[in-house]
Amino acid sequence: MREFDYQRATDVAGAVALLGADPDTRFLGGGTNLVDLMKTGVERPGRLVDIRELPLDEIESTPSGGLGIGATVSNGDLAAHPEVRRRYPALAQAVLAGASGQLRNMATVGGNLLQRTRCGYFTDVTKACNKRVPGSGCPAIEGEHHNHAILGASDHCIAVHPSDMAVALTAFDAVVHFETEDGPGELPLSGFYLPVGDTPHRETALPPGALITHVTLPPAPVAVNSRYRKVRERASYAFAIGSLAAALDVRDGLVRDVRLALGAVASRPWRAAAAERVLAGAPADAETFAAAADAELAAARPLPHNGYKVDLMRNLVVAVLSELAEEAAR
């Protein structure tokens, strides 16, 4: 590991100033991803600015009836919060599905949003990787790609985003708020992650030197009847090979409102807009759910070893929406 300096921030403006003065600086929250990448040489910051003592660790109701979640709230506290569990249960389930209890107690909301891909070529500095070294190539395309993207990928990168939490936040139209030396700003999560295109090393639309301060969830009555389902290769702690955050409101047998986001299928959490359009006002039955899944997955471009994800995600959409429809009908 490269030798680095360490400094503890005491206020948001000071933290932002420290990062802006030195592009070789990184913010340190829980460190559950950053420190691992430092150990492997993927990340080599010259200085870490510890932000864990900043006043960004609250979860509060917003005037509009949504929730505000501070950037340094731990994943464990987020999943356990009674208002999250009551109003956005899929979000609590997504957080609990990610990592282990020890990691959730360290990892932060802001850090979770910014975690890097777990692609083996990215984390191995002896291998080529366009995300790590632009222009060096993407060996995963011809190599090991069984857990890689089937949607929104490119010839430059086929890695998937690893976050469970971000999938649920995407389904519920979360907004990311940040601070820069020029003042505050915000980005809807739908525009927070950049399409992979030919610049996979540019992962988010955050301005240089920005510090995430909090995330807001708008009021979403449909979210009360929501679920997060994660499929993984083993029952214990593991990254998803496919996941779904879904919320459904049914009245008189018809879909009145629906939210869907897919995980582990693209370089970013994938809002299933095509599927939502098919479902709007349609009968809440398995046939409609399958048609919606097919509409979304029509854009899938699987490689030889990850084509299974198309069937997996289709089955996942039908199963979870069917469960939610049954619950809504009770």
Side-chain angles (χ1 to χ4, degrees):
M1 184 186 291
R2 176 188 178 188
E3 188 173 300
F4 60 90
D5 293 328
Y6 170 88
Q7 192 161 350
R8 184 171 294 163
T10 57
D11 59 81
V12 170
V16 171
L18 286 170
L19 188 67
D22 183 3
D24 202 24
T25 296
R26 298 287 186 277
F27 290 130
L28 175 69
T32 56
N33 185 210
L34 175 60
V35 173
D36 282 347
L37 294 177
M38 290 171 64
K39 291 177 180 177
T40 59
V42 175
E43 290 277 6
R44 294 175 54 82
R47 177 170 57 176
L48 296 181
V49 175
D50 191 332
I51 60 171
R52 287 175 292 184
E53 294 189 1
L54 298 182
L56 304 173
D57 60 350
E58 298 293 330
I59 300 175
E60 301 175 321
S61 293
T62 63
S64 65
L67 279 182
I69 304 166
T72 63
V73 169
S74 74
N75 283 239
D77 287 345
L78 177 65
H81 196 278
E83 287 302 296
V84 175
R85 294 164 65 95
R86 182 177 70 86
R87 294 155 63 181
Y88 305 90
L91 175 57
Q93 294 164 12
V95 175
L96 290 173
S100 64
Q102 296 93 328
L103 288 171
R104 289 195 297 270
N105 287 338
M106 283 296 296
T108 63
V109 168
N112 190 299
L113 291 174
L114 294 174
Q115 64 181 301
R116 311 294 301 279
T117 181
R118 263 52 177 196
C119 175
Y121 297 101
F122 171 74
T123 56
D124 184 348
V125 295
T126 69
K127 301 292 194 299
C129 173
N130 284 325
K131 188 178 285 290
R132 181 167 31 78
V133 183
S136 63
C138 179
I141 293 174
E142 300 295 333
E144 174 55 52
H145 56 248
H146 84 283
N147 192 25
H148 284 57
I150 59 172
L151 291 166
S154 76
D155 292 339
H156 300 274
C157 182
I158 58 170
V160 298
H161 196 271
S163 175
D164 294 289
M165 182 191 78
V167 179
L169 289 176
T170 296
F172 300 140
D173 299 315
V175 177
V176 180
H177 302 258
F178 58 86
E179 190 75 30
T180 70
E181 289 188 293
D182 295 326
E186 62 182 53
L187 286 165
L189 200 59
S190 58
F192 181 79
Y193 297 108
L194 297 173
V196 64
D198 58 1
T199 56
H201 59 288
R202 296 184 63 242
E203 296 177 344
T204 78
L206 274 179
L211 170 66
I212 296 175
T213 55
H214 61 289
V215 175
T216 53
L217 284 166
V222 68
V224 173
N225 189 37
S226 66
R227 183 162 298 161
Y228 183 77
R229 182 69 53 79
K230 177 177 181 176
V231 181
R232 41 192 162 187
E233 293 177 331
R234 62 178 188 266
S236 62
Y237 161 44
F239 293 103
I241 57 174
S243 67
L244 172 69
L248 186 67
D249 183 14
V250 178
R251 291 291 184 274
D252 300 321
L254 301 178
V255 176
R256 188 168 77 167
D257 196 4
V258 63
R259 308 290 176 86
L260 295 173
L262 315 182
V265 295
S267 63
R268 60 194 190 275
W270 190 267
R271 183 67 179 266
E276 291 179 353
R277 287 193 292 271
V278 170
L279 290 166
D285 56 32
E287 183 178 356
T288 302
F289 300 154
D294 289 341
E296 193 64 48
L297 294 166
R301 298 294 181 267
L303 292 166
H305 304 302
N306 67 357
Y308 73 91
K309 286 194 175 188
V310 177
D311 290 336
L312 184 154
M313 295 308 300
R314 184 181 193 270
N315 293 337
L316 197 58
V317 168
V318 174
V320 173
L321 287 178
S322 295
E323 292 172 9
L324 291 173
E326 290 176 9
E327 293 176 6
R330 291 174 187 166

